[in-house]
Amino acid sequence: MTERTSDQAEGQTLPFWVDVVEEDEDGNAMGGLFRHDGDAVLRSVPLGPLRKNLADTVDALQKVFQEVADRGGALPLAEAQLSFQVTASGGVQLIGSGQVQGTRGLTLTFKRPS
């Protein structure tokens, strides 16, 4: 991505349905991250923070996947799928397996190149 594209995205937003949760002054979700008693509302999520948070998350996950893949073995890692939610402030929250049922989220699929 070019610097210009990044600069243009700073003021842009994307509409996302998000669960209503309380946030502190820094925009971090507090209490009941995966609560389902709140209503989903349409929010304009800022692209700048979303882009940075998603890129940081993917970078960290790829390092973890590489460490696992380097272990080799009879059944090497060939694909990984993770679900995540986007917060109203552009945060990215990975969804653990215990929370997957009934959770609205997006899925990232990482595949080893053929």
Side-chain angles (χ1 to χ4, degrees):
M1 167 178 9
T2 66
E3 191 67 34
R4 182 173 179 228
T5 304
S6 179
D7 290 342
Q8 290 174 342
E10 285 306 314
Q12 294 179 334
T13 61
L14 279 177
F16 270 92
W17 287 99
V18 297
D19 288 335
V20 177
V21 295
E22 292 180 33
E23 292 184 349
D24 63 17
E25 58 274 357
D26 294 325
N28 298 314
M30 297 173 39
L33 186 62
F34 295 103
R35 288 184 353 207
H36 294 289
D37 55 347
D39 293 327
V41 293
L42 190 61
R43 293 282 191 249
S44 293
V45 174
L47 271 184
L50 177 59
R51 178 177 282 118
K52 181 191 180 316
N53 292 327
L54 189 54
D56 289 349
T57 300
V58 169
D59 288 348
L61 288 170
Q62 288 188 358
K63 287 178 186 174
V64 170
F65 296 151
Q66 186 62 52
E67 291 171 9
V68 171
D70 288 347
R71 294 175 150 233
L75 298 172
L77 178 66
E79 180 175 312
Q81 292 186 355
L82 293 132
S83 294
F84 69 98
Q85 290 181 321
V86 173
T87 68
S89 60
V92 173
Q93 301 167 339
L94 295 175
I95 302 172
S97 62
Q99 292 88 14
V100 170
Q101 289 183 332
T103 299
R104 295 176 287 266
L106 302 167
T107 301
L108 295 174
T109 301
F110 298 85
K111 277 189 166 180
R112 186 176 295 275
S114 317

